[in-house]
Amino acid sequence: MSLKNFSFLVLVGVFFLGCKDGEKLDSSNFSSGSEVSQSVMAKHDSLDKKSYEGLEHIFQDTSKIQSNGKFLMLVFGKNNCSYCEKLKKDIKKDTDLQKYISQNFSPYYINIDYEKMHHFNFGEGKEKGEANVPTSQLAALYKIYATPTTVFGDKNGRTILVIPGYLPDYKKALEFIVSNTWKKAKDLQERNKLFADYLGAMK
């Protein structure tokens, strides 16, 4: 089997290691609001934070999402997702991984089981964009069909890479982003292929 075929199969395998569920962010992508009451939102806000208990020093409050001049990292999870718990456990036990995430990313853990309002604020000048987005709409935008799914973006909120499923060596994905290897590709489809090749080469 060629390295290209092998790396593609590795990537496909990663995509299916997740719990199944039955390009740039700007205000034009979203509707104007949500019918969910403020009291329900407040309750879900508290529950949402419990989803990443023990990693509050890594994952930031999702009520306000911004890049802070770093790469954006959105991890979509849900309740009773064994692979989500596996990913969080991997991060909890690896202090070097925690440090790498904190240094290079603005990380957020978004539990799609709870409806919450997220205020996105990206870019500067002409690139500046803001939007209030409910969780369900955000999950629909990124076509979240398996959890965990990690979405990486640049400082202006443009999507770099979407990784559905659990990746055993999560740091490889982070290094792929930080190294700017993805810039060799012209679009998301090419970046997916480039990432598959990257994983294969790292074996």
Side-chain angles (χ1 to χ4, degrees), residues 43-106:
K43 181 180 178 183
H44 285 188
D45 183 43
S46 175
L47 291 171
D48 181 67
K49 290 178 182 178
K50 288 182 180 178
S51 300
Y52 51 90
E53 197 170 11
L55 287 170
E56 298 92 337
H57 62 296
I58 302 296
F59 292 113
Q60 301 169 35
D61 184 353
T62 64
S63 59
K64 185 174 183 181
I65 297 177
Q66 52 192 2
S67 64
N68 300 308
K70 300 179 182 180
F71 291 108
L72 182 66
M73 175 179 152
L74 306 178
V75 180
F76 289 88
K78 60 182 294 187
N79 295 336
N80 303 312
C81 169
S82 58
Y83 285 106
C84 299
E85 295 306 314
K86 207 167 170 58
L87 174 59
K88 287 184 282 185
K89 186 177 180 181
D90 289 348
I91 297 172
K92 282 179 183 178
K93 69 181 183 182
D94 191 336
T95 54
D96 288 338
L97 179 59
Q98 292 176 26
K99 185 183 294 186
Y100 195 81
I101 291 172
S102 298
Q103 288 176 342
N104 297 289
F105 296 89
S106 283

Side-chain angles (χ1 to χ4, degrees), residues 24-34 41 62-65 74 76 110 114-122 129-142:
K24 181 182 176 184
L25 285 174
D26 60 50
S27 55
S28 65
N29 291 119
F30 311 109
S31 64
S32 57
S34 171
M41 284 284 195
T62 64
S63 59
K64 185 174 183 181
I65 297 177
L74 306 178
F76 289 88
I110 301 169
Y114 304 120
E115 188 73 343
K116 180 177 176 178
M117 192 63 73
H118 311 277
H119 180 75
F120 281 78
N121 185 352
F122 290 113
E130 294 188 56
N132 289 316
V133 192
T135 305
S136 56
Q137 211 170 8
L138 192 61
L141 174 72
Y142 286 117

Side-chain angles (χ1 to χ4, degrees), residues 182-191 194:
W182 55 273
K183 287 187 174 181
K184 297 174 184 177
K186 65 181 180 183
D187 57 32
L188 191 56
Q189 186 175 355
E190 279 194 11
R191 285 195 290 275
L194 202 60

